[in-house]
Amino acid sequence: MKNIAFRFFFILLLFFIAPWNFLGYIPVLSFLSDGYAIGEEWIVSLCNRHLWHVAEVLNMDGGGSGDTSYAWAQFYTVLILSLAGALLWSIIDRKRRSPYKTLSSGLNVVVRYHVALVALLYGINKLFALQMPFPNLSLLSTTLGDLLPMRLSWIFMGYSAPYQVFSGVMETLVGLLLLSRKTALAGVLLGAGVFANVFVLNLCYDIPVKLFSMQTLFCCFFLAWNDRKRVWNFFVLNRNTTPSNTYELVLPKRWQRIIRILLKSAFILLFVVLQFIQSWSMYSEDRAQAASQPIEAGIYDVTEMVENGDTLSVGEGNIRWKDVVFDLDGSGSIYPADTLLRQRYKRGYFVFEADTSAEVIRFTKSYADTIPLFELRYAQVNDSTLSLSGIVRSDTLSLLLQRRNRQFPLSERQFHWVSEANR
């Protein structure tokens, strides 16, 4: 039974970690990754059609969601394939009585570096408060009840840069501790606590990374289980423990040890040094973009709107736009939501780029789009008034915008050591 359990978890964890995905980054071997993806899609669709019935048509493109119908069908398929593979492996290798020492150590090392990779990628990103940005003007202008739970959690994390940086420090510390065999157990135990919190947040705020965070937490539990006797003796029984050999790969030849050093050095270079440099670069670019933006950030009320030659008064119910938000990060929104734009929380979201030479603002749906939805000429009437004109769809529009003198208490980042009353 012990060997069957090992075989099951061996196959299951290899599916979770999917090391063959890295083949896609190697041009010569990318066809192997592509072939695996095609085969996986076929068998997942087949199992869903005859067994799981998660959805009639599986959605593979969740727009950033990791909990799509395809992801769940894939998860169920992985479980059944791991069980079937373990049983078949046990039948073929039924005479074995001794444990798979080398294979087990190799699996532990791979899982350990997988958890380290996840912790470093998310952790270093949070060190610069990049994952959850401070709530922009569009979100501050949105009624709380119109927000979805995930967006509420993002605002909660993004509001306090120190708290987000603290979270990043803890995740980065997990990754760094896991890089050494001597501190790996400390990294695993810390990682179990960190990722348990992440998993519960994803569950309670309906954040669509539940499957991935659950798998990462499971990897931490798997690694901790391998050292369960040492943990029990030290933390519960207050006894001496023996050194761990959980990650001890016996490499008798010199070239094998050299390859291990090179692989570890490459891992540190790619996922610690370069990740830190990339995050710092993104942080610097964001600050530079905010400083160079020609359109002053703010909430602009539409005080006058002319559509196809007809002037619409602000009080009329058929006025197309009531207010426009331009934010520091080159994004914005319009209320009420225009169907031409990305609709979220009763507002139409857009990304804009101002061409100062042509005095034109180009509007797109997202940062990834290169073709504008429409262009509007702009002119700064005075310090607080902006005029826009152009064609949206097939309508000729001319707008006069007045920047609202609106201060949000939340954006003041209030903090008090002494609070005489509950505010």
Side-chain angles (χ1 to χ4, degrees):
M1 286 300 295
K2 185 177 181 180
N3 280 341
I4 293 178
F6 167 79
R7 292 160 185 154
F8 172 74
F9 287 122
F10 181 87
I11 300 172
L12 181 66
L13 287 166
L14 283 184
F15 274 119
F16 280 174
I17 297 167
W20 37 79
N21 286 340
F22 289 98
L23 296 175
Y25 296 99
I26 306 174
V28 181
L29 301 177
S30 60
F31 73 95
L32 294 175
S33 178
D34 296 338
Y36 172 80
I38 294 172
E40 180 190 57
E41 182 181 348
W42 177 80
I43 195 168
V44 169
S45 300
L46 181 68
C47 290
N48 178 72
R49 192 179 312 119
H50 297 287
L51 295 174
W52 319 131
H53 308 291
V54 175
E56 187 173 345
V57 178
L58 295 177
N59 176 28
M60 295 187 65
D61 182 15
S65 170
D67 296 334
T68 60
S69 54
Y70 179 85
W72 279 101
Q74 180 191 45
F75 176 68
Y76 299 143
T77 303
V78 164
L79 289 178
I80 196 68
L81 286 179
S82 299
L83 180 59
L87 293 175
L88 180 62
W89 187 356
S90 299
I91 292 172
I92 295 173
D93 200 19
R94 59 185 177 275
K95 294 182 179 180
R96 174 180 287 273
R97 293 293 180 266
S98 59
Y100 301 86
K101 290 184 178 179
T102 303
L103 201 58
S104 178
S105 297
L107 177 63
N108 292 335
V109 170
V110 172
V111 174
R112 169 184 142 214
Y113 274 90
H114 169 73
V115 176
L117 171 63
V118 173
L120 290 168
L121 290 180
Y122 280 96
I124 294 176
N125 200 254
K126 287 190 182 78
L127 288 179
F128 297 93
L130 293 173
Q131 186 177 355
M132 293 92 165
F134 188 84
N136 57 27
L137 289 173
S138 295
L139 286 174
L140 291 173
S141 304
T142 302
T143 305
L144 179 64
D146 289 331
L147 295 172
L148 295 175
M150 173 184 171
R151 192 54 51 194
L152 180 63
S153 72
W154 240 243
I155 293 174
F156 161 74
M157 289 288 292
Y159 167 76
S160 176
Y163 180 74
Q164 186 174 172
V165 171
F166 168 75
S167 301
V169 168
M170 299 307 293
E171 290 178 352
T172 304
L173 183 59
V174 170
L176 294 177
L177 288 172
L178 287 170
L179 293 181
S180 172
R181 284 170 289 175
K182 295 180 179 179
T183 57
L185 180 56
V188 168
L189 297 179
L190 182 60
V194 168
F195 289 116
N197 179 60
V198 172
F199 176 56
V200 173
L201 275 173
N202 291 341
L203 282 180
C204 297
Y205 285 87
D206 194 31
I207 302 172
V209 203
K210 304 175 193 70
L211 272 173
F212 181 71
S213 58
M214 177 183 67
Q215 291 165 7
T216 305
L217 180 60
F218 177 81
C219 287
C220 291
F221 288 157
F222 171 80
L223 294 175
W225 178 257
N226 291 325
D227 278 315
R228 61 192 180 279
K229 292 182 180 178
R230 299 177 66 236
V231 172
W232 181 259
N233 285 333
F234 184 82
F235 288 103
V236 179
L237 301 181
N238 197 26
R239 293 177 180 172
N240 293 330
T241 61
T242 57
S244 173
N245 60 356
T246 304
Y247 310 104
E248 198 66 46
L249 273 175
V250 179
L251 301 176
K253 297 183 179 180
R254 185 171 180 269
W255 67 268
Q256 294 174 329
R257 295 192 293 272
I258 292 175
I259 288 178
R260 180 174 67 181
I261 293 172
L262 291 176
L263 288 176
K264 185 168 185 174
S265 300
F267 184 93
I268 293 173
L269 176 64
L270 288 174
F271 302 114
V272 180
V273 179
L274 291 184
Q275 180 68 15
F276 188 89
I277 294 173
Q278 183 181 21
S279 296
W280 170 256
S281 176
M282 291 175 60
Y283 174 76
S284 302
E285 287 176 8
D286 288 346
R287 293 172 67 88
Q289 179 184 3
S292 63
Q293 183 172 294
I295 305 297
E296 187 172 356
I299 305 170
Y300 291 80
D301 291 314
V302 179
T303 58
E304 183 181 300
M305 185 171 188
V306 179
E307 183 175 353
N308 297 323
D310 296 328
T311 301
L312 305 177
S313 64
V314 177
E316 291 183 23
N318 62 345
I319 189 169
R320 181 178 293 189
W321 298 340
K322 296 186 183 300
D323 68 60
V324 180
V325 170
F326 292 101
D327 239 308
L328 290 172
D329 59 355
S331 68
S333 65
I334 293 171
Y335 179 81
D338 192 310
T339 55
L340 185 61
L341 306 175
R342 185 163 49 98
Q343 299 184 61
R344 302 171 73 186
Y345 323 122
K346 298 185 179 180
R347 301 188 68 90
Y349 279 73
F350 59 81
V351 173
F352 72 94
E353 181 182 5
D355 185 342
T356 55
S357 59
E359 294 186 333
V360 168
I361 302 176
R362 298 182 179 90
F363 294 80
T364 58
K365 268 190 177 183
S366 68
Y367 291 103
D369 294 338
T370 55
I371 301 176
L373 294 170
F374 54 88
E375 295 182 355
L376 296 177
R377 295 188 63 84
Y378 75 91
Q380 196 74 47
V381 180
N382 54 48
D383 290 343
S384 60
T385 307
L386 184 71
S387 69
L388 300 175
S389 60
I391 297 176
V392 180
R393 294 187 179 91
S394 57
D395 298 322
T396 302
L397 296 181
S398 178
L399 303 101
L400 200 62
L401 309 180
Q402 184 73 33
R403 186 159 50 84
R404 191 187 305 173
N405 186 21
R406 175 73 163 91
Q407 299 296 324
F408 293 95
L410 185 64
S411 65
E412 296 174 8
R413 301 176 184 257
Q414 300 182 18
F415 176 81
H416 303 86
W417 282 113
V418 178
S419 296
E420 301 292 2
N422 187 13
R423 299 181 299 139

